Amino acid sequence: MNTTPNISSSDPEIVYAEAPSITREISWVARTSTDRPFGREADREFWLRKAALLDRIALAEEAPYAPSVSAEAASVAGNAARRLAEYDAAHSGLSPRGAELVTDTDHREYVREQYRERSLTRLI
């Protein structure tokens, strides 16, 4: 039986299964944001965790509510996902996958892929 996780999976239930609670991540993002010295750019870890947090919040709202109700959370998550993609493009060049990102949905899937990669890397 193969127990190796599917690295390319962007299924939120799989990607975020081992993630800290939303409350804990809100605390981490807020603390990291305020503890950063003035004028110092946030690092990739910050942008990835912030984008993943906002994606998880949007997913929690999208599941039970109509699109008109959850639209703002989805938009905020899309903006954070775009910020991560912009950070990645500025610091490591635009990857072939990055060039394919067009919609907020594309960007949010990119966040999930990157979060999954980060999670798997930490297991090694």
Side-chain angles (χ1 to χ4, degrees), residues 89-120:
H91 291 85
S92 58
L94 192 59
S95 69
R97 171 70 175 115
E100 297 172 359
L101 303 177
V102 178
T103 67
D104 281 354
T105 300
D106 295 337
H107 283 86
R108 288 177 62 192
E109 286 179 10
Y110 176 74
V111 168
R112 293 176 202 141
E113 290 168 5
Q114 297 304 302
Y115 193 87
R116 180 75 171 157
E117 245 179 63
R118 172 190 164 270
S119 298
L120 292 173

mmCIF file of all heavy atoms in Angstrom, residues 89-120:
data_model
loop_
_atom_site.group_PDB
_atom_site.id
_atom_site.type_symbol
_atom_site.label_atom_id
_atom_site.label_comp_id
_atom_site.label_asym_id
_atom_site.label_seq_id
_atom_site.Cartn_x
_atom_site.Cartn_y
_atom_site.Cartn_z
ATOM 1 N N ALA A 89 7.572 35.641 -7.589
ATOM 2 C CA ALA A 89 8.090 36.124 -8.872
ATOM 3 C C ALA A 89 9.237 37.113 -8.661
ATOM 4 O O ALA A 89 10.249 37.058 -9.357
ATOM 5 C CB ALA A 89 6.968 36.772 -9.680
ATOM 6 N N ALA A 90 9.107 37.989 -7.672
ATOM 7 C CA ALA A 90 10.143 38.994 -7.411
ATOM 8 C C ALA A 90 11.412 38.385 -6.826
ATOM 9 O O ALA A 90 12.507 38.886 -7.066
ATOM 10 C CB ALA A 90 9.604 40.063 -6.458
ATOM 11 N N HIS A 91 11.287 37.303 -6.069
ATOM 12 C CA HIS A 91 12.440 36.756 -5.363
ATOM 13 C C HIS A 91 13.046 35.504 -5.990
ATOM 14 O O HIS A 91 14.181 35.159 -5.689
ATOM 15 C CB HIS A 91 12.083 36.488 -3.900
ATOM 16 C CG HIS A 91 11.876 37.752 -3.143
ATOM 17 N ND1 HIS A 91 10.680 38.420 -3.123
ATOM 18 C CD2 HIS A 91 12.732 38.499 -2.417
ATOM 19 C CE1 HIS A 91 10.798 39.516 -2.402
ATOM 20 N NE2 HIS A 91 12.037 39.599 -1.966
ATOM 21 N N SER A 92 12.294 34.826 -6.830
ATOM 22 C CA SER A 92 12.870 33.633 -7.442
ATOM 23 C C SER A 92 12.500 33.506 -8.911
ATOM 24 O O SER A 92 12.710 32.466 -9.517
ATOM 25 C CB SER A 92 12.439 32.377 -6.670
ATOM 26 O OG SER A 92 11.034 32.275 -6.627
ATOM 27 N N GLY A 93 11.949 34.556 -9.480
ATOM 28 C CA GLY A 93 11.563 34.521 -10.879
ATOM 29 C C GLY A 93 10.205 33.866 -11.046
ATOM 30 O O GLY A 93 9.740 33.133 -10.178
ATOM 31 N N LEU A 94 9.578 34.144 -12.151
ATOM 32 C CA LEU A 94 8.266 33.585 -12.426
ATOM 33 C C LEU A 94 8.425 32.162 -12.939
ATOM 34 O O LEU A 94 9.048 31.935 -13.976
ATOM 35 C CB LEU A 94 7.534 34.453 -13.456
ATOM 36 C CG LEU A 94 6.069 34.198 -13.648
ATOM 37 C CD1 LEU A 94 5.299 34.402 -12.338
ATOM 38 C CD2 LEU A 94 5.510 35.134 -14.711
ATOM 39 N N SER A 95 7.899 31.225 -12.199
ATOM 40 C CA SER A 95 7.988 29.822 -12.590
ATOM 41 C C SER A 95 6.996 29.545 -13.712
ATOM 42 O O SER A 95 6.069 30.335 -13.940
ATOM 43 C CB SER A 95 7.646 28.936 -11.387
ATOM 44 O OG SER A 95 6.272 29.064 -11.067
ATOM 45 N N PRO A 96 7.162 28.418 -14.411
ATOM 46 C CA PRO A 96 6.160 28.053 -15.424
ATOM 47 C C PRO A 96 4.753 27.993 -14.813
ATOM 48 O O PRO A 96 3.794 28.432 -15.417
ATOM 49 C CB PRO A 96 6.620 26.685 -15.910
ATOM 50 C CG PRO A 96 8.085 26.678 -15.671
ATOM 51 C CD PRO A 96 8.271 27.492 -14.402
ATOM 52 N N ARG A 97 4.660 27.483 -13.597
ATOM 53 C CA ARG A 97 3.355 27.429 -12.930
ATOM 54 C C ARG A 97 2.865 28.837 -12.626
ATOM 55 O O ARG A 97 1.685 29.133 -12.792
ATOM 56 C CB ARG A 97 3.454 26.596 -11.639
ATOM 57 C CG ARG A 97 2.208 26.650 -10.764
ATOM 58 C CD ARG A 97 1.041 25.902 -11.395
ATOM 59 N NE ARG A 97 -0.076 25.872 -10.484
ATOM 60 C CZ ARG A 97 -1.246 26.480 -10.709
ATOM 61 N NH1 ARG A 97 -1.448 27.151 -11.809
ATOM 62 N NH2 ARG A 97 -2.206 26.387 -9.826
ATOM 63 N N GLY A 98 3.732 29.692 -12.210
ATOM 64 C CA GLY A 98 3.354 31.067 -11.914
ATOM 65 C C GLY A 98 2.831 31.804 -13.132
ATOM 66 O O GLY A 98 1.943 32.647 -13.028
ATOM 67 N N ALA A 99 3.351 31.486 -14.290
ATOM 68 C CA ALA A 99 2.904 32.128 -15.528
ATOM 69 C C ALA A 99 1.474 31.727 -15.890
ATOM 70 O O ALA A 99 0.805 32.432 -16.632
ATOM 71 C CB ALA A 99 3.855 31.764 -16.668
ATOM 72 N N GLU A 100 1.008 30.609 -15.353
ATOM 73 C CA GLU A 100 -0.340 30.130 -15.645
ATOM 74 C C GLU A 100 -1.400 30.766 -14.755
ATOM 75 O O GLU A 100 -2.592 30.609 -15.003
ATOM 76 C CB GLU A 100 -0.412 28.609 -15.455
ATOM 77 C CG GLU A 100 0.475 27.826 -16.387
ATOM 78 C CD GLU A 100 0.522 26.350 -16.021
ATOM 79 O OE1 GLU A 100 -0.120 25.946 -15.032
ATOM 80 O OE2 GLU A 100 1.194 25.604 -16.731
ATOM 81 N N LEU A 101 -1.005 31.461 -13.721
ATOM 82 C CA LEU A 101 -1.953 32.017 -12.765
ATOM 83 C C LEU A 101 -2.674 33.215 -13.372
ATOM 84 O O LEU A 101 -2.039 34.185 -13.764
ATOM 85 C CB LEU A 101 -1.237 32.422 -11.481
ATOM 86 C CG LEU A 101 -0.447 31.326 -10.780
ATOM 87 C CD1 LEU A 101 0.270 31.892 -9.565
ATOM 88 C CD2 LEU A 101 -1.339 30.169 -10.375
ATOM 89 N N VAL A 102 -3.995 33.134 -13.412
ATOM 90 C CA VAL A 102 -4.779 34.210 -13.990
ATOM 91 C C VAL A 102 -5.874 34.647 -13.020
ATOM 92 O O VAL A 102 -5.938 35.802 -12.634
ATOM 93 C CB VAL A 102 -5.411 33.786 -15.341
ATOM 94 C CG1 VAL A 102 -6.270 34.895 -15.913
ATOM 95 C CG2 VAL A 102 -4.334 33.381 -16.337
ATOM 96 N N THR A 103 -6.699 33.733 -12.596
ATOM 97 C CA THR A 103 -7.838 34.064 -11.745
ATOM 98 C C THR A 103 -7.492 33.929 -10.267
ATOM 99 O O THR A 103 -6.466 33.345 -9.910
ATOM 100 C CB THR A 103 -9.031 33.133 -12.053
ATOM 101 O OG1 THR A 103 -8.686 31.797 -11.647
ATOM 102 C CG2 THR A 103 -9.391 33.150 -13.527
ATOM 103 N N ASP A 104 -8.375 34.440 -9.419
ATOM 104 C CA ASP A 104 -8.193 34.252 -7.978
ATOM 105 C C ASP A 104 -8.177 32.766 -7.631
ATOM 106 O O ASP A 104 -7.414 32.343 -6.767
ATOM 107 C CB ASP A 104 -9.309 34.955 -7.197
ATOM 108 C CG ASP A 104 -9.081 36.447 -7.066
ATOM 109 O OD1 ASP A 104 -8.010 36.937 -7.483
ATOM 110 O OD2 ASP A 104 -9.977 37.128 -6.542
ATOM 111 N N THR A 105 -8.999 31.985 -8.317
ATOM 112 C CA THR A 105 -9.023 30.535 -8.070
ATOM 113 C C THR A 105 -7.665 29.921 -8.378
ATOM 114 O O THR A 105 -7.160 29.101 -7.618
ATOM 115 C CB THR A 105 -10.131 29.858 -8.911
ATOM 116 O OG1 THR A 105 -11.393 30.429 -8.543
ATOM 117 C CG2 THR A 105 -10.156 28.361 -8.688
ATOM 118 N N ASP A 106 -7.061 30.326 -9.495
ATOM 119 C CA ASP A 106 -5.717 29.845 -9.842
ATOM 120 C C ASP A 106 -4.718 30.189 -8.744
ATOM 121 O O ASP A 106 -3.903 29.361 -8.350
ATOM 122 C CB ASP A 106 -5.206 30.489 -11.143
ATOM 123 C CG ASP A 106 -5.992 30.112 -12.373
ATOM 124 O OD1 ASP A 106 -6.647 29.058 -12.370
ATOM 125 O OD2 ASP A 106 -5.952 30.895 -13.339
ATOM 126 N N HIS A 107 -4.777 31.414 -8.276
ATOM 127 C CA HIS A 107 -3.840 31.863 -7.243
ATOM 128 C C HIS A 107 -4.067 31.117 -5.930
ATOM 129 O O HIS A 107 -3.106 30.750 -5.244
ATOM 130 C CB HIS A 107 -3.955 33.376 -7.034
ATOM 131 C CG HIS A 107 -3.288 34.156 -8.111
ATOM 132 N ND1 HIS A 107 -3.914 34.488 -9.293
ATOM 133 C CD2 HIS A 107 -2.040 34.666 -8.196
ATOM 134 C CE1 HIS A 107 -3.077 35.162 -10.052
ATOM 135 N NE2 HIS A 107 -1.926 35.295 -9.407
ATOM 136 N N ARG A 108 -5.314 30.890 -5.565
ATOM 137 C CA ARG A 108 -5.594 30.163 -4.326
ATOM 138 C C ARG A 108 -5.133 28.710 -4.428
ATOM 139 O O ARG A 108 -4.621 28.149 -3.455
ATOM 140 C CB ARG A 108 -7.076 30.266 -3.975
ATOM 141 C CG ARG A 108 -7.432 31.683 -3.487
ATOM 142 C CD ARG A 108 -8.874 31.862 -3.193
ATOM 143 N NE ARG A 108 -9.321 30.989 -2.125
ATOM 144 C CZ ARG A 108 -10.607 30.795 -1.837
ATOM 145 N NH1 ARG A 108 -11.553 31.410 -2.516
ATOM 146 N NH2 ARG A 108 -10.938 29.984 -0.852
ATOM 147 N N GLU A 109 -5.269 28.100 -5.593
ATOM 148 C CA GLU A 109 -4.742 26.746 -5.773
ATOM 149 C C GLU A 109 -3.218 26.753 -5.672
ATOM 150 O O GLU A 109 -2.625 25.823 -5.132
ATOM 151 C CB GLU A 109 -5.200 26.173 -7.113
ATOM 152 C CG GLU A 109 -6.654 25.784 -7.114
ATOM 153 C CD GLU A 109 -7.128 25.231 -8.442
ATOM 154 O OE1 GLU A 109 -6.288 24.963 -9.338
ATOM 155 O OE2 GLU A 109 -8.345 25.068 -8.590
ATOM 156 N N TYR A 110 -2.585 27.798 -6.188
ATOM 157 C CA TYR A 110 -1.138 27.944 -6.072
ATOM 158 C C TYR A 110 -0.725 27.990 -4.603
ATOM 159 O O TYR A 110 0.238 27.342 -4.197
ATOM 160 C CB TYR A 110 -0.688 29.221 -6.803
ATOM 161 C CG TYR A 110 0.788 29.532 -6.672
ATOM 162 C CD1 TYR A 110 1.726 28.792 -7.377
ATOM 163 C CD2 TYR A 110 1.229 30.558 -5.854
ATOM 164 C CE1 TYR A 110 3.091 29.080 -7.263
ATOM 165 C CE2 TYR A 110 2.579 30.856 -5.735
ATOM 166 C CZ TYR A 110 3.504 30.111 -6.439
ATOM 167 O OH TYR A 110 4.846 30.388 -6.326
ATOM 168 N N VAL A 111 -1.468 28.737 -3.787
ATOM 169 C CA VAL A 111 -1.190 28.800 -2.349
ATOM 170 C C VAL A 111 -1.255 27.400 -1.756
ATOM 171 O O VAL A 111 -0.371 26.996 -0.992
ATOM 172 C CB VAL A 111 -2.180 29.741 -1.630
ATOM 173 C CG1 VAL A 111 -2.085 29.589 -0.113
ATOM 174 C CG2 VAL A 111 -1.917 31.180 -2.028
ATOM 175 N N ARG A 112 -2.280 26.657 -2.101
ATOM 176 C CA ARG A 112 -2.429 25.298 -1.561
ATOM 177 C C ARG A 112 -1.279 24.401 -1.988
ATOM 178 O O ARG A 112 -0.753 23.630 -1.183
ATOM 179 C CB ARG A 112 -3.764 24.698 -2.003
ATOM 180 C CG ARG A 112 -4.934 25.413 -1.387
ATOM 181 C CD ARG A 112 -6.250 24.881 -1.894
ATOM 182 N NE ARG A 112 -7.250 25.919 -1.689
ATOM 183 C CZ ARG A 112 -8.209 26.209 -2.537
ATOM 184 N NH1 ARG A 112 -8.338 25.533 -3.671
ATOM 185 N NH2 ARG A 112 -9.057 27.164 -2.266
ATOM 186 N N GLU A 113 -0.865 24.513 -3.242
ATOM 187 C CA GLU A 113 0.270 23.719 -3.721
ATOM 188 C C GLU A 113 1.537 24.082 -2.957
ATOM 189 O O GLU A 113 2.307 23.200 -2.554
ATOM 190 C CB GLU A 113 0.477 23.936 -5.218
ATOM 191 C CG GLU A 113 -0.615 23.339 -6.069
ATOM 192 C CD GLU A 113 -0.559 23.814 -7.515
ATOM 193 O OE1 GLU A 113 0.388 24.548 -7.884
ATOM 194 O OE2 GLU A 113 -1.469 23.457 -8.278
ATOM 195 N N GLN A 114 1.765 25.371 -2.778
ATOM 196 C CA GLN A 114 2.964 25.826 -2.076
ATOM 197 C C GLN A 114 2.920 25.443 -0.596
ATOM 198 O O GLN A 114 3.942 25.067 -0.023
ATOM 199 C CB GLN A 114 3.139 27.342 -2.247
ATOM 200 C CG GLN A 114 3.366 27.765 -3.681
ATOM 201 C CD GLN A 114 4.562 27.063 -4.294
ATOM 202 O OE1 GLN A 114 5.665 27.169 -3.784
ATOM 203 N NE2 GLN A 114 4.356 26.343 -5.381
ATOM 204 N N TYR A 115 1.760 25.528 0.006
ATOM 205 C CA TYR A 115 1.616 25.146 1.417
ATOM 206 C C TYR A 115 1.853 23.650 1.573
ATOM 207 O O TYR A 115 2.522 23.213 2.500
ATOM 208 C CB TYR A 115 0.221 25.527 1.928
ATOM 209 C CG TYR A 115 0.095 25.464 3.431
ATOM 210 C CD1 TYR A 115 0.437 26.561 4.211
ATOM 211 C CD2 TYR A 115 -0.360 24.317 4.079
ATOM 212 C CE1 TYR A 115 0.338 26.520 5.598
ATOM 213 C CE2 TYR A 115 -0.455 24.259 5.463
ATOM 214 C CZ TYR A 115 -0.114 25.368 6.210
ATOM 215 O OH TYR A 115 -0.206 25.319 7.578
ATOM 216 N N ARG A 116 1.342 22.880 0.641
ATOM 217 C CA ARG A 116 1.538 21.421 0.660
ATOM 218 C C ARG A 116 3.026 21.095 0.517
ATOM 219 O O ARG A 116 3.545 20.256 1.251
ATOM 220 C CB ARG A 116 0.731 20.780 -0.458
ATOM 221 C CG ARG A 116 0.855 19.292 -0.549
ATOM 222 C CD ARG A 116 0.072 18.645 0.524
ATOM 223 N NE ARG A 116 0.034 17.209 0.284
ATOM 224 C CZ ARG A 116 -0.187 16.337 1.227
ATOM 225 N NH1 ARG A 116 -0.431 16.742 2.451
ATOM 226 N NH2 ARG A 116 -0.185 15.074 0.960
ATOM 227 N N GLU A 117 3.692 21.765 -0.412
ATOM 228 C CA GLU A 117 5.139 21.550 -0.602
ATOM 229 C C GLU A 117 5.905 21.869 0.677
ATOM 230 O O GLU A 117 6.785 21.127 1.086
ATOM 231 C CB GLU A 117 5.649 22.444 -1.741
ATOM 232 C CG GLU A 117 6.143 21.689 -2.915
ATOM 233 C CD GLU A 117 6.613 22.630 -3.996
ATOM 234 O OE1 GLU A 117 7.585 23.402 -3.768
ATOM 235 O OE2 GLU A 117 6.032 22.586 -5.094
ATOM 236 N N ARG A 118 5.571 22.995 1.296
ATOM 237 C CA ARG A 118 6.227 23.413 2.530
ATOM 238 C C ARG A 118 5.992 22.375 3.622
ATOM 239 O O ARG A 118 6.917 22.010 4.343
ATOM 240 C CB ARG A 118 5.671 24.766 2.979
ATOM 241 C CG ARG A 118 6.126 25.210 4.342
ATOM 242 C CD ARG A 118 5.317 26.443 4.768
ATOM 243 N NE ARG A 118 5.435 26.707 6.183
ATOM 244 C CZ ARG A 118 4.634 26.218 7.119
ATOM 245 N NH1 ARG A 118 3.635 25.430 6.807
ATOM 246 N NH2 ARG A 118 4.805 26.519 8.375
ATOM 247 N N SER A 119 4.777 21.875 3.725
ATOM 248 C CA SER A 119 4.455 20.875 4.744
ATOM 249 C C SER A 119 5.225 19.590 4.527
ATOM 250 O O SER A 119 5.747 18.993 5.458
ATOM 251 C CB SER A 119 2.952 20.585 4.748
ATOM 252 O OG SER A 119 2.227 21.744 5.066
ATOM 253 N N LEU A 120 5.326 19.161 3.268
ATOM 254 C CA LEU A 120 6.055 17.930 2.964
ATOM 255 C C LEU A 120 7.543 18.111 3.208
ATOM 256 O O LEU A 120 8.216 17.186 3.667
ATOM 257 C CB LEU A 120 5.772 17.490 1.527
ATOM 258 C CG LEU A 120 4.353 17.014 1.256
ATOM 259 C CD1 LEU A 120 4.156 16.777 -0.234
ATOM 260 C CD2 LEU A 120 4.048 15.754 2.044
#
